[in-house]
Amino acid sequence: MFDSTKVAVLGAGLMGCGIAQVFASHKLSVFLFDPFESARETALSKITSGIKSTGGDISATQYVNVVSDIEAAVANADVIIEAVPEKLALKQEVFRQIQPFVKSTAIVTSNTSVIPIKDIFDGLDFQNQVVGTHWWNPPYLVPLVEVVESEKSSTNVIKNMMALLTFVGKKPVHVKKDVPGFVGNRMQHALWREAIALVNDGVCTAEDVDVVVKNSFGLRLPQLGPIENADLIGLDLTLDIHNVILQSLNADKSPSPVLQDQVAKNNLGVKTGQGFLSWNEHRIQKVRDDLNTYLLNVTQQRG
Ligand SMILES: NC(=O)c1ccc[n+]([C@@H]2O[C@H](COP(=O)([O-])OP(=O)(O)OC[C@H]3O[C@@H](n4cnc5c(N)ncnc54)[C@H](O)[C@@H]3O)[C@@H](O)[C@H]2O)c1
């Protein structure tokens, strides 16, 4: 059904290359656009090493055409996936630029992490053709893609995008309201807000926040979601717990002082060698390698 689907990916960075890899690995033709030569030059080698890391067939790169002409990328595309930097004005500009070339049957998507989809497509002609598709990094290992319905998204566009993502081996979830952060990032950042608040308030060290997560509920999460877990312990107990704890959980509407302070000191984490934790090359590489190995094992076990 999708064998002849042509996909355009706009932005050949971390996510764009990974997303292109997923479609190419299922033998779908991909046009990968980036305005920067440096990004275009490295795109195929990034995709090749992504494929190698999963033990896949690198001949899939034959399905990827890296292009410098945005019209050539989108004019025949059945699906257009934007993966440019997370800046609203830039995303709006890219969609204004392609508007004259988008087929009336094409599905048009943004891979924004948190920006509401309606803000990105505001004022454009093809609003019934748009959905958010929030992929997770690395796109070729993490199964979930959140398919975000915007106010004007047509039912068919949602249905067809979900079907295409299933065809290429992804686990799509229909997000029915266009809320910032969708489902996954809302939950993730609720946890990060509390984690950083615990450090800010001196309840435990930054190191110990991660020790607690990795040695307790974090172990269960891949197997037992929070809703299943609430049902399992009983909703009466969940209610009793919430009656006590919710009033003391952090509910700040702005970033924690300790986070703002670290950024003001240029303690940005691995980028500068110091964040909440101290980083050297060996530690950075080990964390990345261990994570990729873990994700590969988990996804291969699930099949
Ligand atoms: N990095 C992640 O973990 C992650 C996860 C999920 C979603 N996202 C989202 O995906 C999007 C891309 O993130 P990324 O991490 O791949 O960024 P990135 O910086 O690695 O890549 C962005 C690419 O876009 C290109 N670009 C810049 N201007 C462009 C333009 N006008 N037209 C086309 N391409 C242009 C850049 O040259 C670069 O290659 C962002 O919206 C981000 O929030 C990122």
Side-chain angles (χ1 to χ4, degrees):
M1 179 184 175
F2 292 107
D3 294 335
S4 58
T5 301
K6 290 193 173 55
V7 181
V9 178
L10 310 178
L14 183 69
M15 297 303 289
C17 287
I19 292 168
Q21 179 184 326
V22 169
F23 289 106
S25 297
H26 287 79
K27 301 189 171 93
L28 300 191
S29 171
V30 180
F31 288 81
L32 178 57
F33 164 77
D34 202 291
F36 295 99
E37 196 177 346
S38 54
R40 293 195 301 275
E41 275 173 4
T42 52
L44 282 180
S45 64
K46 282 197 230 161
I47 294 172
T48 303
S49 65
I51 296 174
K52 278 187 183 158
S53 76
T54 65
D57 179 357
I58 60 166
S59 71
T61 52
Q62 70 186 285
Y63 296 99
V64 182
N65 305 284
V66 181
V67 295
S68 59
D69 176 357
I70 200 165
E71 179 180 349
V74 302
N76 293 314
D78 302 299
V79 177
I80 299 166
I81 299 174
E82 169 272 306
V84 310
E86 186 75 349
K87 301 206 180 314
L88 176 60
L90 176 63
K91 289 183 188 289
Q92 289 170 329
E93 175 50 33
V94 167
F95 286 114
R96 268 197 298 273
Q97 203 183 345
I98 65 167
Q99 178 158 257
F101 317 120
V102 173
K103 287 201 297 189
S104 61
T105 52
I107 299 176
V108 186
T109 85
S110 171
N111 185 47
T112 175
S113 299
V114 289
I115 304 172
I117 304 304
K118 69 169 175 8
D119 293 351
I120 296 173
F121 293 102
D122 192 32
L124 293 172
D125 291 343
F126 45 75
Q127 296 201 33
N128 62 333
Q129 294 170 241
V130 311
V131 284
T133 47
H134 181 232
W135 299 65
W136 291 68
N137 186 43
Y140 50 86
L141 284 182
V142 181
L144 181 71
V145 182
E146 291 168 282
V147 177
V148 185
E149 181 170 344
S150 191
E151 272 168 24
K152 296 183 181 156
S153 310
S154 86
T155 313
N156 266 349
V157 163
I158 304 280
K159 202 177 81 194
N160 291 341
M161 195 64 212
M162 302 270 295
L164 173 64
L165 288 165
T166 305
F167 176 78
V168 295
K170 294 286 112 187
K171 177 86 188 155
V173 163
H174 179 186
V175 179
K176 297 176 190 167
K177 287 192 177 169
D178 186 11
V179 291
F182 319 126
V183 175
N185 267 329
R186 288 180 83 85
M187 287 193 281
Q188 178 164 243
H189 288 282
L191 177 64
W192 289 21
R193 175 171 66 181
E194 185 60 37
I196 293 171
L198 289 165
V199 176
N200 187 75
D201 298 348
V203 177
C204 66
T205 63
E207 286 84 355
D208 279 347
V209 168
D210 287 358
V211 170
V212 167
V213 174
K214 291 184 196 180
N215 289 281
S216 62
F217 67 89
L219 282 174
R220 296 190 200 122
L221 280 176
Q223 198 52 43
L224 190 72
I227 300 293
E228 277 175 328
N229 201 344
D231 268 357
L232 209 62
I233 65 165
L235 296 185
D236 48 346
L237 176 56
T238 303
L239 181 62
D240 288 343
I241 291 170
H242 279 201
N243 272 328
V244 175
I245 203 171
L246 289 191
Q247 51 198 299
S248 84
L249 288 182
N250 189 278
D252 286 351
K253 294 285 181 206
S254 54
S256 168
V258 72
L259 177 61
Q260 301 198 42
D261 189 43
Q262 294 278 27
V263 173
K265 290 182 186 148
N266 204 35
N267 289 342
L268 306 181
V270 298
K271 284 182 201 161
T272 58
Q274 183 65 47
F276 287 116
L277 312 171
S278 296
W279 296 90
N280 58 34
E281 279 311 314
H282 173 73
R283 184 172 186 187
I284 295 167
Q285 200 52 47
K286 183 166 169 16
V287 166
R288 292 202 164 124
D289 289 348
D290 289 353
L291 177 62
N292 268 356
T293 306
Y294 167 79
L295 288 173
L296 198 56
N297 287 340
V298 170
T299 47
Q300 282 178 346
Q301 272 168 21
R302 287 186 182 180

